[in-house]
Amino acid sequence: MPDSLIDVQVHSAIATIALNRPDKRNAMSDEMRTEFIDVLERIATDRDIRAVVLTGHGKGFCAGGDIAGMEKRLHAPPGEVAFNGWSRQQRVHYTVSLLHTLPKPTIAAVNGAAAGLGADLALCCDFVVASTNASFTWSYIDRGLVPDGGGLYVLPRRVGLARAKELIFSGRRVEVEEALRLGIADRTASPEALIVEAQVWATELSRGSPTALALGKQILNQSFELSAEQAFRLGSQAQGICYTSAEHRQSVLAFLDKSKGKGR
């Protein structure tokens, strides 16, 4: 087993997080989840990190939940199965919520198979760049389960309700070309260029005001559930905060200085 189940590298303000359990195709164990939570919590408050790229080491992005953990649940006393399951789900939901609401741009660089929870994790990021080796499957149905990693929320917003039902009900595999066509993936890249292209895109997306990015993302994540009036109100409140930000002040002053220089 590697020393760390989550590998984090930071370069030029971009954090690249790699799931690091390649011998298990990066299946999410309880131990890996705990490390992942710690990393996401730390990055969320680190102002020196402006964006995140999420990928997997080895051939797979993430094979989903750890089967060993599922087997362990089968042997739990009947009177404890429900509460143990509920307790575990709180951790799962906290993890995907941290990723989904991270106050900076996130890109999933899907290097191989993203199955079950792995497919959910990819779509909990703001954007998806898929390697030509990538594939996606919401295979929960094959284990008698429903998507618990955010898929019931994020997949319909990516592909529409009817298509999301078809993918979840069938659990079928989606190859990269279809993923791009359906909107599961936003871009594709060769395996060799995947991480670099994701990091370059992350840099482009994070050049603007961190304050405006964080507030805008928070509202956009809720926009399908909000009325127009609610969205306008939240936008007005966010703009009031942006008015006070150092980025806004510096930008306006720089524009005015440039304008004055042209008039001389």
Side-chain angles (χ1 to χ4, degrees):
M1 179 180 288
D3 292 336
S4 177
L5 297 171
I6 303 293
D7 179 32
V8 184
Q9 303 291 328
V10 180
H11 180 69
S12 299
I14 306 301
T16 301
I17 303 172
L19 306 179
N20 191 25
R21 205 178 174 216
D23 57 319
K24 300 294 184 181
R25 300 293 177 101
N26 299 315
M28 185 68 72
S29 65
D30 290 341
E31 294 78 12
M32 178 186 275
R33 183 177 297 105
T34 296
E35 286 192 35
F36 194 31
I37 288 172
D38 290 342
V39 166
L40 292 175
E41 288 178 335
R42 188 167 69 250
I43 288 175
T45 58
D46 188 339
R47 294 193 177 187
D48 291 330
I49 295 175
R50 297 178 65 93
V52 169
V53 171
L54 175 65
T55 192
H57 281 324
K59 294 182 178 180
F61 176 74
C62 177
D66 185 41
I67 295 295
M70 297 182 191
E71 182 183 15
K72 183 190 258 186
R73 290 199 302 277
L74 294 179
H75 298 293
E80 297 179 14
V81 171
F83 184 74
N84 287 350
W86 177 85
S87 299
R88 181 177 176 277
Q89 282 297 306
Q90 302 312 296
R91 297 284 285 173
V92 174
H93 293 163
Y94 182 59
T95 307
V96 297
S97 179
L98 276 174
L99 180 61
H100 179 61
T101 62
L102 202 73
K104 47 199 76 185
T106 56
I107 298 175
V110 181
N111 54 300
L117 177 63
D120 284 351
L121 287 177
L123 293 199
C124 280
C125 293
D126 298 318
F127 305 98
V128 176
V129 181
S131 160
T132 50
N133 291 335
S135 64
F136 302 82
T137 174
W138 280 266
S139 51
Y140 293 91
I141 197 75
D142 297 333
R143 301 284 179 268
L145 301 171
V146 299
D148 63 356
L152 294 172
Y153 180 85
V154 294
L155 185 58
R157 284 157 178 74
R158 278 273 182 171
V159 303
L161 181 58
R163 181 63 70 192
K165 287 179 178 178
E166 186 265 325
L167 293 174
I168 290 170
F169 293 174
S170 68
R172 69 178 179 85
R173 179 170 166 154
V174 179
E175 302 294 347
V176 66
E177 289 186 5
E178 184 182 10
L180 189 63
R181 187 170 68 251
L182 293 179
I184 293 170
D186 302 296
R187 298 183 180 184
T188 61
S190 68
E192 300 76 18
L194 176 68
I195 301 303
V196 170
E197 291 196 18
Q199 290 169 336
V200 169
W201 195 17
T203 299
E204 293 172 355
L205 291 169
S206 60
R207 283 177 179 156
S209 160
T211 303
L213 279 170
L215 293 171
K217 176 174 175 175
Q218 183 187 55
I219 297 169
L220 284 166
N221 278 352
Q222 306 173 65
S223 59
F224 283 14
E225 291 77 45
L226 299 173
S227 67
E229 176 57 33
Q230 289 171 321
F232 296 160
R233 183 167 61 251
L234 288 173
S236 295
Q237 293 169 354
Q239 195 74 308
I241 297 172
C242 287
Y243 285 157
T244 69
S245 70
E247 304 98 71
H248 174 66
R249 178 180 177 82
Q250 291 165 2
S251 174
V252 172
L253 291 177
F255 180 83
L256 291 174
D257 287 343
K258 185 177 179 181
S259 298
K260 289 174 184 178
K262 287 182 178 179
R264 290 184 185 131

